[in-house]
Amino acid sequence: MDLSIYVKVKVQEPLLSVQGLSKFYGKRIGCDAVSFDLFPGEVLGIVGESGSGKSTLLSCLAGHLAPDSGKVIFDTAQGPRDTVVMGEAERRRLGRTDWAFVHQNPRDGLRMGVSAGGNVGERLMAVGARHYGDIRGQALDWLGRVEIAADRIDDRPTGFSGGMQQRLQIARNLVTGPRLVFMDEPTGGLDVSVQARLLDLLRGLVRQMGLSAIIVTHDLAVVRLLADRLMVMKGGHVVEQGLTDQVLDDPQHAYTQLLVASVLHV
Amino acid sequence: MIKISNLSKSFTLHNQGAAVIPVMTGAHLSVAPGECLGLVGASGSGKSTLMRLIWGNYVAATGSILVGGVDVARAAPREIIALRRGTLGYVSQFLRVVPRVPTVDVVAEPLLTLGVAQSEARARAEHLLAQLNIPERLWSLSPTTFSGGEQQRVNIARGFVHPYPAMLLDEPTASLDAVNREVVLTLIEAAKARGAAIIGIFHDEAARARLCDRVVDVTQFSPAVPA
Amino acid sequence: MTEQAYNFAYLDEQTKTMIRRAILKGVAIPGYQVPFASREMPMPYGWGTGGVQVTAACLVPEDRLKVIDQGADDTTNAVSIRRFFQRTAGVAVTETTSEATLIQTRHRIPETPLHEGQILIYQVPIPEPLRFLEPRESETRKMHELEDYGLMHVKLYEDIARHGQIATSYDYPVKVEGRYVMDPSPIPKFDNPKLGGNAAIQLFGAGREQRIYALPPYTQAISLDFDDHPFVASKADHACDLCAAGDSYLDEVVLDDQGNRMFVCSDTDYCGGRRAAGHVGRLGGEG
């Protein structure tokens, strides 16, 4: 038998290692003592109801919010570094290169006064691209990959549908080939039919680019289709984590059982 | 290839007074490469539960489930993901896909995740779809709109597109006509011939007789129901 | 009220000290916008309150002042400011670029090359080059701090995408000494090459926005561009119709209802000097 078809888990370092991350708003818990490792190519879903702390956690991970304690160690080109204590300049550079952040509302992640091409090109220019023709070429390539017609490149996103805006935001984020993408309810404000298209697109991109992703959502159907692993949060605590279909099909914690049982159909 | 020892499983229903429902205890079996094992037992006796335990979406209470050297009962999520990617295939009764994705891509996806080039993956997917008599005009459509039999064949194509060394088959011939049933049985025989270790649930007795080297009645693993 | 009722150059000495500190800091960190406590001046915002305060803080009795507006010494704004300092500081004035020790300007750099010892003071309406792309001041400061300037090129990208070329023709941003991106005030981009390597001290004052920034002598200031769309210091493709200069920035003047027009140097001192030296343009004889 051909042994190459046995895929062994290589001994590898986690891309992101989160250790004891906590954030409090006064006495109120944002998220408390969250720890997990994310390995290259893995997609982690974080689910929970509103106020469960999943958005706080994501903001702390992405450096938008300073945690009160804990480490967020990212495997940078120079080796593992704790991004919590890294300088803002360096963290922003990370945010333009190895990291990407897809907002729920595309208006938060796009420059609405700038053309689609300019939106996609911004990250390239931010990391030093200075050839207009090349920048435009890459923008066109990415518009194609997210299924936006080439003749829309000079249009502003204000005239785009919600789904198109979200796809443009994804193109804008992925153009510099990040290794880790944070997504906050990426399909949140979209029609169901548009959601499916976006999910398919995200799956394809994650696979082709070998992306690691952390997706915050309250939609269990979304994580079922996108996430390899799942983390369930309640009241700022992680109550359960594991393989996505295991957590959904055989939930161990009372809250997860309630959550899964409350969904009409996943 | 697959070896299960002292496996037990129970569900704890936290929202119904924390009732603990034992569903399986002391399960053990093993399947060698090239061997096909049939699971039998009445409805609700735990055949599907056992399959899910092996697949890893049910958490074992005790025991071990070795598949290609990985203990599914203890493995980290990413080890199970890697196992499913290359070693363990699963044809379930239900097709769960992202709506809108063309059938050919649904079938090719397991190969793409293994890093097979798009063109080759599609070619192998198309070959299997043709073999399973899915009309070519449907390949570019999403299988969500297909009939039950067509969906089942797409599911089988997806499960057979990569030569997994271990396979779980849940009623692969259900809802198929005679012609397609024959195609599927031939595929399973070919998988056996290349050395795949297979565990299957077959209500189709003729199919079971033709494919299975042994059968295990899972009723023996049922916990003694307190009176 | 007599002129003596004012302190020299209108502003009190404490205010001048405060402004000088800001200027020194600006000179020490070329291109960096230094906040200062802008005072009310006896003229409306937009009429050069920033430039006037910087001029007031720099003036000494021995100075010879030149004031230009769009290159001209004889426009209302230039005349008013020149008179203001004649009255409040009693300094000598001149229209000749080379004779001036201190030049306050709105929207031009004189054609005649400046020399060491001269100070060129710009009136600046909006000092923040990132403003139109990122309206939050807190964010633009952070972007300067972190050298996060990708957005600057987005603006140029948008220009090319929309017009086929970089259409920004004035207020064209420069990068100073490889560090700060700076707004050179609304000078035509034709003047941009004179910003860098200039022998004079260049000071920029924004009154309403309360910012001062500076280019000390011989500072590098590079106009932003793309490799395949390089910066071009363009001007109207004509020679001056009065003095025949082919190398100066031109204003277009409509002459009549028939669409006749003429191009003349925007720098009146430069044009006058050339005509006095005998250069005659297409329409120069008729005047």
Side-chain angles (χ1 to χ4, degrees), chain A residues 144-166:
Chain A
R145 288 166 84 164
V146 300
E147 302 168 33
I148 294 175
D151 62 3
R152 302 302 298 270
I153 186 168
D154 293 328
D155 294 347
R156 292 183 182 178
T158 34
F160 289 7
S161 67
M164 268 174 88
Q165 287 182 357
Q166 197 58 296

mmCIF file of all heavy atoms in Angstrom, chain A residues 144-166:
data_model
loop_
_atom_site.group_PDB
_atom_site.id
_atom_site.type_symbol
_atom_site.label_atom_id
_atom_site.label_comp_id
_atom_site.label_asym_id
_atom_site.label_seq_id
_atom_site.Cartn_x
_atom_site.Cartn_y
_atom_site.Cartn_z
ATOM 1 N N GLY A 144 -11.314 39.206 -8.988
ATOM 2 C CA GLY A 144 -11.749 37.990 -9.664
ATOM 3 C C GLY A 144 -11.920 36.834 -8.683
ATOM 4 O O GLY A 144 -12.905 36.100 -8.736
ATOM 5 N N ARG A 145 -10.984 36.709 -7.771
ATOM 6 C CA ARG A 145 -11.047 35.590 -6.828
ATOM 7 C C ARG A 145 -12.237 35.692 -5.896
ATOM 8 O O ARG A 145 -12.710 34.672 -5.383
ATOM 9 C CB ARG A 145 -9.756 35.513 -6.019
ATOM 10 C CG ARG A 145 -8.599 35.019 -6.879
ATOM 11 C CD ARG A 145 -7.259 35.250 -6.230
ATOM 12 N NE ARG A 145 -6.917 34.197 -5.293
ATOM 13 C CZ ARG A 145 -5.673 34.023 -4.844
ATOM 14 N NH1 ARG A 145 -4.706 34.799 -5.264
ATOM 15 N NH2 ARG A 145 -5.417 33.072 -3.984
ATOM 16 N N VAL A 146 -12.705 36.917 -5.621
ATOM 17 C CA VAL A 146 -13.894 37.045 -4.776
ATOM 18 C C VAL A 146 -15.134 37.334 -5.617
ATOM 19 O O VAL A 146 -16.163 37.776 -5.105
ATOM 20 C CB VAL A 146 -13.717 38.124 -3.678
ATOM 21 C CG1 VAL A 146 -12.552 37.782 -2.766
ATOM 22 C CG2 VAL A 146 -13.513 39.502 -4.297
ATOM 23 N N GLU A 147 -14.999 37.049 -6.912
ATOM 24 C CA GLU A 147 -16.154 37.100 -7.819
ATOM 25 C C GLU A 147 -16.775 38.487 -7.918
ATOM 26 O O GLU A 147 -17.989 38.650 -7.860
ATOM 27 C CB GLU A 147 -17.203 36.058 -7.400
ATOM 28 C CG GLU A 147 -16.638 34.640 -7.392
ATOM 29 C CD GLU A 147 -17.561 33.639 -6.701
ATOM 30 O OE1 GLU A 147 -18.784 33.831 -6.785
ATOM 31 O OE2 GLU A 147 -17.045 32.686 -6.111
ATOM 32 N N ILE A 148 -15.917 39.499 -8.034
ATOM 33 C CA ILE A 148 -16.400 40.844 -8.336
ATOM 34 C C ILE A 148 -15.906 41.171 -9.751
ATOM 35 O O ILE A 148 -14.724 40.985 -10.052
ATOM 36 C CB ILE A 148 -15.869 41.886 -7.321
ATOM 37 C CG1 ILE A 148 -16.463 41.605 -5.936
ATOM 38 C CG2 ILE A 148 -16.213 43.312 -7.773
ATOM 39 C CD1 ILE A 148 -15.932 42.495 -4.826
ATOM 40 N N ALA A 149 -16.831 41.601 -10.615
ATOM 41 C CA ALA A 149 -16.501 41.836 -12.019
ATOM 42 C C ALA A 149 -15.389 42.877 -12.145
ATOM 43 O O ALA A 149 -15.349 43.865 -11.406
ATOM 44 C CB ALA A 149 -17.740 42.296 -12.779
ATOM 45 N N ALA A 150 -14.478 42.643 -13.090
ATOM 46 C CA ALA A 150 -13.316 43.515 -13.273
ATOM 47 C C ALA A 150 -13.732 44.953 -13.567
ATOM 48 O O ALA A 150 -13.038 45.891 -13.183
ATOM 49 C CB ALA A 150 -12.445 42.974 -14.401
ATOM 50 N N ASP A 151 -14.871 45.132 -14.200
ATOM 51 C CA ASP A 151 -15.254 46.506 -14.569
ATOM 52 C C ASP A 151 -15.786 47.307 -13.374
ATOM 53 O O ASP A 151 -16.128 48.476 -13.503
ATOM 54 C CB ASP A 151 -16.270 46.511 -15.725
ATOM 55 C CG ASP A 151 -17.565 45.823 -15.359
ATOM 56 O OD1 ASP A 151 -17.716 45.395 -14.200
ATOM 57 O OD2 ASP A 151 -18.432 45.698 -16.247
ATOM 58 N N ARG A 152 -15.811 46.666 -12.193
ATOM 59 C CA ARG A 152 -16.221 47.413 -10.998
ATOM 60 C C ARG A 152 -15.013 47.962 -10.234
ATOM 61 O O ARG A 152 -15.169 48.547 -9.158
ATOM 62 C CB ARG A 152 -17.044 46.518 -10.045
ATOM 63 C CG ARG A 152 -18.298 45.912 -10.648
ATOM 64 C CD ARG A 152 -19.279 46.932 -11.195
ATOM 65 N NE ARG A 152 -19.820 47.868 -10.203
ATOM 66 C CZ ARG A 152 -20.920 47.661 -9.496
ATOM 67 N NH1 ARG A 152 -21.607 46.551 -9.645
ATOM 68 N NH2 ARG A 152 -21.349 48.567 -8.645
ATOM 69 N N ILE A 153 -13.821 47.766 -10.761
ATOM 70 C CA ILE A 153 -12.600 48.081 -10.001
ATOM 71 C C ILE A 153 -12.514 49.551 -9.616
ATOM 72 O O ILE A 153 -11.972 49.881 -8.572
ATOM 73 C CB ILE A 153 -11.331 47.642 -10.787
ATOM 74 C CG1 ILE A 153 -10.070 47.837 -9.920
ATOM 75 C CG2 ILE A 153 -11.180 48.403 -12.108
ATOM 76 C CD1 ILE A 153 -8.826 47.190 -10.463
ATOM 77 N N ASP A 154 -13.069 50.434 -10.454
ATOM 78 C CA ASP A 154 -12.961 51.855 -10.135
ATOM 79 C C ASP A 154 -14.215 52.409 -9.463
ATOM 80 O O ASP A 154 -14.328 53.607 -9.234
ATOM 81 C CB ASP A 154 -12.632 52.658 -11.398
ATOM 82 C CG ASP A 154 -11.239 52.334 -11.908
ATOM 83 O OD1 ASP A 154 -10.370 52.037 -11.073
ATOM 84 O OD2 ASP A 154 -11.031 52.356 -13.140
ATOM 85 N N ASP A 155 -15.157 51.507 -9.148
ATOM 86 C CA ASP A 155 -16.372 51.949 -8.454
ATOM 87 C C ASP A 155 -16.152 51.945 -6.950
ATOM 88 O O ASP A 155 -15.412 51.122 -6.425
ATOM 89 C CB ASP A 155 -17.549 51.011 -8.792
ATOM 90 C CG ASP A 155 -17.934 51.101 -10.254
ATOM 91 O OD1 ASP A 155 -17.465 52.049 -10.921
ATOM 92 O OD2 ASP A 155 -18.673 50.228 -10.725
ATOM 93 N N ARG A 156 -16.828 52.848 -6.286
ATOM 94 C CA ARG A 156 -16.738 52.867 -4.829
ATOM 95 C C ARG A 156 -17.684 51.828 -4.244
ATOM 96 O O ARG A 156 -18.748 51.578 -4.797
ATOM 97 C CB ARG A 156 -17.100 54.258 -4.306
ATOM 98 C CG ARG A 156 -16.054 55.261 -4.690
ATOM 99 C CD ARG A 156 -16.342 56.627 -4.134
ATOM 100 N NE ARG A 156 -15.303 57.546 -4.592
ATOM 101 C CZ ARG A 156 -15.277 58.830 -4.326
ATOM 102 N NH1 ARG A 156 -16.236 59.368 -3.612
ATOM 103 N NH2 ARG A 156 -14.306 59.587 -4.771
ATOM 104 N N PRO A 157 -17.300 51.263 -3.098
ATOM 105 C CA PRO A 157 -18.144 50.203 -2.517
ATOM 106 C C PRO A 157 -19.507 50.681 -2.058
ATOM 107 O O PRO A 157 -20.382 49.852 -1.789
ATOM 108 C CB PRO A 157 -17.304 49.679 -1.338
ATOM 109 C CG PRO A 157 -16.229 50.670 -1.109
ATOM 110 C CD PRO A 157 -16.045 51.446 -2.369
ATOM 111 N N THR A 158 -19.728 51.987 -1.985
ATOM 112 C CA THR A 158 -21.046 52.479 -1.584
ATOM 113 C C THR A 158 -22.131 51.937 -2.511
ATOM 114 O O THR A 158 -23.262 51.740 -2.090
ATOM 115 C CB THR A 158 -21.098 54.023 -1.642
ATOM 116 O OG1 THR A 158 -20.289 54.464 -2.722
ATOM 117 C CG2 THR A 158 -20.586 54.629 -0.367
ATOM 118 N N GLY A 159 -21.767 51.686 -3.768
ATOM 119 C CA GLY A 159 -22.768 51.204 -4.717
ATOM 120 C C GLY A 159 -22.863 49.689 -4.778
ATOM 121 O O GLY A 159 -23.606 49.147 -5.590
ATOM 122 N N PHE A 160 -22.112 48.993 -3.920
ATOM 123 C CA PHE A 160 -22.111 47.529 -3.951
ATOM 124 C C PHE A 160 -23.187 46.978 -3.023
ATOM 125 O O PHE A 160 -23.554 47.606 -2.034
ATOM 126 C CB PHE A 160 -20.755 46.985 -3.480
ATOM 127 C CG PHE A 160 -19.612 47.212 -4.445
ATOM 128 C CD1 PHE A 160 -19.757 47.983 -5.589
ATOM 129 C CD2 PHE A 160 -18.376 46.630 -4.198
ATOM 130 C CE1 PHE A 160 -18.699 48.182 -6.458
ATOM 131 C CE2 PHE A 160 -17.309 46.820 -5.069
ATOM 132 C CZ PHE A 160 -17.471 47.601 -6.193
ATOM 133 N N SER A 161 -23.643 45.771 -3.328
ATOM 134 C CA SER A 161 -24.561 45.073 -2.431
ATOM 135 C C SER A 161 -23.784 44.644 -1.182
ATOM 136 O O SER A 161 -22.545 44.650 -1.174
ATOM 137 C CB SER A 161 -25.122 43.840 -3.117
ATOM 138 O OG SER A 161 -24.090 42.893 -3.314
ATOM 139 N N GLY A 162 -24.527 44.252 -0.148
ATOM 140 C CA GLY A 162 -23.885 43.831 1.100
ATOM 141 C C GLY A 162 -22.918 42.678 0.888
ATOM 142 O O GLY A 162 -21.811 42.663 1.429
ATOM 143 N N GLY A 163 -23.333 41.711 0.072
ATOM 144 C CA GLY A 163 -22.479 40.550 -0.187
ATOM 145 C C GLY A 163 -21.205 40.949 -0.914
ATOM 146 O O GLY A 163 -20.118 40.462 -0.606
ATOM 147 N N MET A 164 -21.360 41.842 -1.885
ATOM 148 C CA MET A 164 -20.181 42.309 -2.635
ATOM 149 C C MET A 164 -19.235 43.074 -1.734
ATOM 150 O O MET A 164 -18.023 42.930 -1.827
ATOM 151 C CB MET A 164 -20.618 43.232 -3.775
ATOM 152 C CG MET A 164 -20.850 42.531 -5.093
ATOM 153 S SD MET A 164 -21.513 43.720 -6.280
ATOM 154 C CE MET A 164 -20.024 44.404 -6.965
ATOM 155 N N GLN A 165 -19.806 43.902 -0.873
ATOM 156 C CA GLN A 165 -18.965 44.667 0.054
ATOM 157 C C GLN A 165 -18.166 43.720 0.939
ATOM 158 O O GLN A 165 -16.979 43.917 1.167
ATOM 159 C CB GLN A 165 -19.831 45.575 0.931
ATOM 160 C CG GLN A 165 -20.401 46.770 0.186
ATOM 161 C CD GLN A 165 -21.220 47.678 1.093
ATOM 162 O OE1 GLN A 165 -21.413 47.386 2.267
ATOM 163 N NE2 GLN A 165 -21.719 48.768 0.548
ATOM 164 N N GLN A 166 -18.846 42.666 1.405
ATOM 165 C CA GLN A 166 -18.155 41.727 2.282
ATOM 166 C C GLN A 166 -17.060 40.986 1.520
ATOM 167 O O GLN A 166 -15.967 40.763 2.036
ATOM 168 C CB GLN A 166 -19.177 40.746 2.896
ATOM 169 C CG GLN A 166 -18.680 39.982 4.103
ATOM 170 C CD GLN A 166 -18.234 40.879 5.236
ATOM 171 O OE1 GLN A 166 -17.276 41.639 5.114
ATOM 172 N NE2 GLN A 166 -18.921 40.804 6.360
#
